[in-house]
Every structure is written in C-alpha cells, then in structure tokens.
C-alpha cells in the first residue's frame, strides 16, 4: 500500500529554487533515509510534507490528496532542536508526552485521563516509563529526545518524520534512539522518513535511500545504490560509508 506519493514537487523561496520536480513514493512500513549535501533541500522536503511551506506538485498520503489529509493525526514529527534547558521548566516528562495529544483536539483543547494513560503507554513502549514523573528540564539530552519521540507517537501516527533527531546526542544515546525507531518500524509497521547527515546510521537502519540535491539524484534500495558504478563516481567515499552493510 502506498503511504506517501510525491509527484513533481517543487518549492521556491522567493527566487531560490530549493527543490524541483521531486517524485517518489513510500510504501507503508518503509524506512527511508533522506541524505544530500547541505542546502540540498532535505528540510524543505520535510516542511512541504508537513504543510509548512507552499509547494507546487502533488502529495498524497495514504491515497488522499494533501489538502484532504488530516496531517496532525497521521504524522508524527520530531525536529532536530527541541530541548528544555531550564531545569525548572514546569512540566514532568509524562505531561510533555501527553501534550502530543493536543494535535488532534478541537478547541477548547483539554487533556483527559485517557491522554495521560496513552502517554504512559507510549513511554512504556519506548522503555522510558521510569522517567514519567521527572521534571523534563532535569533529564539528559538523550532522555529528553526519547520523551519527545514518545510525544510524537502518543496519537499513534502511521508516518514518523525525523529531521536530524540525534544531532545533540552522544553516541550511546543515539544508538538507543535509532534502535527504538527501528523497532517501531519493524514491529508496529510505522513508516519512517529520516533525514540525517550520518551516512553510517542511514546505511545501518534505513531500507531505502532518497538522495537529494535540489532534485532527486537517486531513490531506491541500497542494493541498486551500492552496486551502481554511477553512484560510486558521484558519491565517492561517502557511498562506502552508507553501504557498509550492503
Ligand atoms: P538542507 O536541509 O538539505 O540543508 P534546506 O532545505 O534547509 O536544505 O535548504 C534548501 C535551500 O533552500 C538552500 O539553498 C537554503 O538556503 C534555501 N532555504 C531554506 N530555507 C529558506 C528560507 N526560509 N528562505 C529562503 N531560502 C531558504
């Protein structure tokens, strides 16, 4: 089943063409790694999929045209920078996770006991239930990022979009984080779109690769990417880092 279909998508910021003619499709349960040099349009693609920048072209989620799709309900999004530095920030981890449920409520938005139990379920699923009562500002960067992952999952999205989600984490927290996402993909069938500069991580966890440079340079399986001479010529040593497992 096609979960995301993008046809001829282009984005312009005034006179800068950030993306042109992007076409690709993700099947339900895919794990797609999005890579490309700085300024190649990775974040712009994510923003377009989330409806945060105007675009031309067509986007379908689960067979529905973009305009008919209730994004908040179906898509979980975890950006790169979202940290609580103030140790006195007045919320415990469980409240932050439960706040993810605001996405899908109508005015006046209120959280109920059911939202808090869903928050606990999401935290249990990610193995962080013991953090529930701790003030968010007193958790480590890795713990905060897993709390925010739980927040993006509290409404059981079918698609999870991650934009450089571990940039601020140490290597061991990063690994725990990616294993958690891998399990969500494998066991719950969540479709994952991951933007990362870390080619080794993409090679380790993603099943497909979308290589952007203002347009799609490559989209497909690692088998096709890693075997091809054109790709070796184009990406040089970078290809070997991505392809270390393939
Ligand atoms: P990446 O995520 O691959 O680093 P971006 O999607 O952030 O790339 O940027 C793609 C291009 O669009 C770059 O040339 C960047 O300078 C430009 N760009 C991104 N955001 C804006 C903006 N808000 N206004 C103008 N230009 C932008």
């Amino acid at each position: 089943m096609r979960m995301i279909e993008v046809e001829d998508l282009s984005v312009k910021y005034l006179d800068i063409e950030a993306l042109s003619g992007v076409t690709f499709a993700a099947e339900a349960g895919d794990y797609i790694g999005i890579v490309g040099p700085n300024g190649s349009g990775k974040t712009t693609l994510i923003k377009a999929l989330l409806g945060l920048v105007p675009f031309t072209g067509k986007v379908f989620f689960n067979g529905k045209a973009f305009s008919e799709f209730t994004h908040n309900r179906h898509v979980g999004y975890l950006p790169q920078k979202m940290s609580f530095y103030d140790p006195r920030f007045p919320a415990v981890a469980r409240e932050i996770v439960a706040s993810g449920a605001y996405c899908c409520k109508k005015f006046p938005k209120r959280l109920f006991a059911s939202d808090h139990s869903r928050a606990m379920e999401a935290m249990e699923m990610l193995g962080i239930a013991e953090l529930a009562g701790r003030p968010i500002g007193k958790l480590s960067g890795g713990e905060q990022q897993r709390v925010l992952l739980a927040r993006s999952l509290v409404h059981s999205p079918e698609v999870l979009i991650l934009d450089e989600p571990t940039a601020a984490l140490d290597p061991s927290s990063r690994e725990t984080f990616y294993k958690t996402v891998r399990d969500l993909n494998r066991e719950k069938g969540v479709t994952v779109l991951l933007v990362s500069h870390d080619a080794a991580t993409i090679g380790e966890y993603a099943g497909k690769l979308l290589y952007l440079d203002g347009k799609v340079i490559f989209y497909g399986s690692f088998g096709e990417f890693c075997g091809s001479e054109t790709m070796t010529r184009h990406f040089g040593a970078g290809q070997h880092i991505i392809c270390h497992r393939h």
Side-chain angles (χ1 to χ4, degrees):
M1 188 182 67
R2 288 259 158 110
M3 183 51 83
I4 303 172
E5 259 186 291
V6 174
E7 277 174 31
D8 202 20
L9 179 141
S10 299
V11 178
K12 258 189 168 180
Y13 297 108
L14 299 174
D15 53 348
I16 298 171
E17 181 143 71
L19 281 176
S20 74
V22 171
T23 296
F24 72 97
E27 304 293 324
D30 270 350
Y31 190 143
I32 298 175
I34 303 174
V35 291
N38 276 336
S40 61
K42 302 181 294 296
T43 297
T44 298
L45 174 63
I46 298 300
K47 285 186 177 165
L49 293 177
L50 293 167
L52 301 176
V53 289
F55 59 84
T56 59
K58 286 183 184 156
V59 176
F60 298 91
F61 275 91
N62 214 347
K64 285 197 174 137
F66 184 82
S67 52
E68 294 163 23
F69 185 77
T70 42
H71 269 74
N72 290 341
R73 193 172 290 282
H74 299 274
V75 179
Y77 170 54
L78 184 60
Q80 178 179 352
K81 289 184 205 124
M82 220 177 128
S83 296
F84 299 88
Y85 295 112
D86 183 352
R88 293 159 308 169
F89 190 90
V92 295
R94 194 197 66 246
E95 291 166 322
I96 297 292
V97 175
S99 72
Y102 281 126
C103 71
C104 311
K105 291 180 182 287
K106 294 199 174 110
F107 187 80
K109 296 188 172 199
R110 279 201 200 120
L111 294 180
F112 298 104
S114 56
D115 297 311
H116 287 285
S117 25
R118 270 208 292 278
M120 276 316 297
E121 281 166 28
M123 295 185 86
E124 273 156 26
M125 184 170 74
L126 299 186
I128 51 168
E130 76 282 1
L131 303 181
R134 306 250 315 264
I136 186 73
K138 290 194 176 164
L139 301 183
S140 73
E143 288 168 339
Q144 287 190 7
Q145 198 64 339
R146 283 195 291 154
V147 167
L148 292 169
L149 178 63
R151 179 178 181 271
S152 68
L153 293 170
V154 78
H155 58 295
S156 306
E158 292 140 44
V159 179
L160 185 59
I161 296 181
L162 309 167
D163 190 357
E164 295 276 2
T166 59
L169 304 190
D170 61 74
S172 109
S173 309
R174 199 176 299 160
E175 201 179 327
T176 311
F177 179 89
Y178 282 120
K179 285 191 169 146
T180 309
V181 173
R182 178 196 60 195
D183 293 346
L184 282 168
N185 171 254
R186 285 193 190 158
E187 287 157 26
K188 306 267 172 195
V190 175
T191 307
V192 178
L193 263 56
L194 167 69
V195 171
S196 178
H197 276 113
D198 181 357
T201 297
I202 294 274
E204 180 86 27
Y205 295 106
K208 288 182 182 168
L209 191 67
L210 176 61
Y211 209 116
L212 293 177
D213 199 357
K215 58 187 179 1
V216 176
I217 303 285
F218 174 86
Y219 177 59
S221 69
F222 284 90
E224 291 167 73
F225 178 80
C226 298
S228 94
E229 214 178 283
T230 325
M231 290 300 135
T232 312
R233 230 181 299 128
H234 206 105
F235 301 111
Q239 191 197 20
H240 298 298
I241 302 170
I242 291 180
C243 295
H244 67 116
R245 267 184 59 237
H246 301 272

